[in-house]
Amino acid sequence: MRNGDFAVNNRFLRACRREPVDRVPVWFMRQAGRYDPEYRHIRETYTLLDICREPELCARVTRMPVDKLGVDAAILFSDIMVPVGAMGMSFSLQEHVGPVMERPLRTEEDIASLRVFEPEEELPFVLETIRHLANTLPVPLIGFAGGPFTLASYMVEGGPSRDYVHTKVLMLARPDLWGRLMSKLSQAMARYLRAQVQAGASAVQIFDSWVGSLSVHAFRAHVKPYIQAMLADLAQLGVPLIYFGVHTGELLADFAEAGATVVGVDWRTPLDRARQRVGTSVALQGNLDPVSLFAPPDVLRREVETVLWLGTESPGYIFNLGHGVKPTTDLAQLQRVVEWVHTFEPKAQTAHCTKEERA
Ligand code: 1CP
């Protein structure tokens, strides 16, 4: 595989397809961000949304962790809220808080006024950034969008929430309106992700970070059908489709059943248990506790190795954290993790042997 004139490291894509790899691939959710002094310096002049709207700068920020950490994939620098603006809802990203809506979405009229937008028209800067990156990056680029439940939670609550009261009450008490909201969000995000792939993204991740706040039966009744439709639509593109949320141990089997080809796992569920739940037809991604990056290097190394042993028990494994890099993480710790992952012998992945055969 080549991007422009560069030979591209494709072990990330191979692992997504459960093919043998020379080394375990690694990238980190939120790998571009505040832990990096160069990013903090850029943020003194530009807001996060300024960066997203400036293709050259955005491409530079996307690339920074590839050069500094040696990760095997880049993730587009953006935010899950960027397309929410394009759907017609105003918001701001507030320091130490996160996304805050100008006016929360609560009524039938609010839902009716949401636009399933045309990405080329509303977010041309995202696609321009991707086109630029696809020709220059030495690793595959992951495009992304928020999952419908997670986006709905910000829109309906008006900002970050602990218990999602308004969102869940809308879902339970007005399933008709909830269905309209989920349809619009899943259609808009599928269209947005399709445009990202057409512009040059080699894989996509749906960040449904807060979907694990739902019971299994609520997920099945009120969210899964829309994820399934989204993933079926995107499957035609032939790229890996990663679906991720935190606190989702009980939902993992449903994630695989819904059509994800890579299932993201948070740190609470051991990867061997995750594998039992999802079966062998999907790849797994995860799941080092992001807080372990604050432990001394020898302790961190043991944690990394535990994750690696469990992850490489079966083919199709991508090392990652169980959630995003925390802003005060030491860059040197992330560099160490990449080195340890890359020097680990991925026995099961190359030889396809079982745990018993290896013992
Ligand atoms: O300027 C800043 O540094 C503010 C922090 C920040 C950053 C770095 C925000 C505000 N967004 C981002 C970029 C971002 N957001 C990326 C960058 C690409 C990467 O390197 O990974 C990505 C993938 C996201 C996705 C995102 N935004 C998610 C899903 C992933 C996750 O962490 O669960 C969510 C939930 C958001 C909302 C959001 N935006 C920003 C914050 C602080 C939050 C979370 C607020 C909350 O806890 O509810």
Side-chain angles (χ1 to χ4, degrees):
M1 178 188 168
R2 296 179 83 79
N3 279 0
D5 283 339
F6 297 83
V8 171
N9 156 3
N10 68 354
R11 59 169 80 101
F12 163 75
L13 293 174
R14 292 185 62 86
C16 288
R17 295 190 219 104
R18 289 171 292 107
E19 293 166 5
V21 285
D22 58 338
R23 298 277 157 222
V24 175
V26 49
W27 69 279
F28 302 113
M29 291 186 277
R30 297 282 190 108
Q31 67 189 12
R34 299 214 157 248
Y35 73 88
D36 180 358
E38 189 183 353
Y39 175 82
R40 289 200 300 270
H41 183 70
I42 292 170
R43 287 280 283 105
E44 283 167 18
T45 314
Y46 301 93
T47 67
L48 189 137
L49 295 174
D50 290 340
I51 300 172
C52 299
R53 291 194 194 102
E54 198 57 63
E56 238 169 76
L57 180 60
C58 190
R60 207 176 107 208
V61 173
T62 300
R63 175 149 186 160
M64 278 169 6
V66 176
D67 296 332
K68 284 179 199 176
L69 305 177
V71 287
D72 299 296
I75 181 158
L76 172 71
F77 186 82
S78 187
D79 191 84
I80 59 167
M81 298 304 286
V82 168
V84 170
M87 291 185 81
M89 284 190 78
S90 302
F91 69 93
S92 55
L93 288 176
Q94 293 184 7
E95 197 87 39
H96 310 301
V97 180
V100 175
M101 309 308 301
E102 196 174 273
R103 204 171 58 83
L105 175 145
R106 295 284 161 83
T107 66
E108 185 163 359
E109 292 70 41
D110 292 341
I111 295 169
S113 69
L114 288 176
R115 290 194 303 266
V116 178
F117 63 96
E118 201 51 66
E120 284 286 0
E121 277 163 29
E122 301 293 329
L123 303 174
F125 47 88
V126 173
L127 305 174
E128 204 183 314
T129 303
I130 294 175
R131 281 190 280 268
H132 179 77
L133 283 163
N135 287 319
T136 51
L137 275 177
V139 293
L141 177 69
I142 303 169
F144 75 91
F149 178 84
T150 299
L151 293 175
S153 81
Y154 286 111
M155 293 161 114
V156 177
E157 300 300 328
S161 170
R162 194 178 283 270
D163 40 25
Y164 312 100
V165 173
H166 296 286
T167 313
K168 289 187 183 181
V169 170
L170 176 70
M171 180 182 85
L172 296 171
R174 292 300 306 269
D176 54 327
L177 295 188
W178 177 260
R180 273 181 244 167
L181 176 58
M182 287 293 101
S183 290
K184 278 199 169 173
L185 283 171
S186 54
Q187 278 172 39
M189 293 313 120
R191 201 181 276 189
Y192 180 47
L193 289 171
R194 177 178 286 269
Q196 292 183 43
V197 172
Q198 285 163 349
S202 301
V204 294
Q205 175 152 328
I206 300 172
F207 282 94
D208 218 349
S209 303
W210 316 136
V211 77
S213 66
L214 293 176
S215 66
V216 174
H217 74 265
F219 176 74
R220 288 183 183 155
H222 301 292
V223 177
K224 189 179 174 184
Y226 304 97
I227 299 298
Q228 202 152 8
M230 235 179 129
L231 291 168
D233 176 352
L234 294 169
Q236 304 160 352
L237 299 168
V239 300
L241 308 174
I242 313 169
Y243 187 53
F244 167 79
V246 295
H247 273 291
T248 53
E250 293 296 331
L251 300 175
L252 295 176
D254 289 84
F255 285 11
E257 215 180 272
T261 61
V262 183
V263 173
V265 185
D266 87 356
W267 65 93
R268 296 170 184 87
T269 309
L271 289 171
D272 53 344
R273 194 170 308 165
R275 177 57 78 192
Q276 284 163 9
R277 291 178 179 177
V278 302
T280 52
S281 60
V282 299
L284 288 177
Q285 175 175 280
N287 73 345
L288 181 74
D289 184 342
V291 170
S292 55
L293 289 155
F294 295 89
D298 56 324
V299 178
L300 174 61
R301 183 164 196 163
R302 279 203 305 275
E303 295 296 310
V304 168
E305 283 178 353
T306 302
V307 170
L308 282 166
W309 279 115
L310 297 177
T312 55
E313 275 187 11
S314 44
Y317 171 60
I318 301 111
F319 188 96
N320 205 312
L321 306 183
H323 199 184
V325 177
K326 296 200 171 287
T328 53
T329 304
D330 179 2
L331 193 148
Q333 291 281 75
L334 290 166
Q335 289 170 327
R336 288 185 187 109
V337 172
V338 172
E339 196 195 315
W340 296 329
V341 174
H342 282 164
T343 49
F344 181 81
E345 285 299 320
K347 294 195 177 96
Q349 302 220 354
T350 45
H352 291 261
C353 64
T354 64
K355 189 182 178 186
E356 289 69 35
E357 282 164 350
R358 203 170 56 222

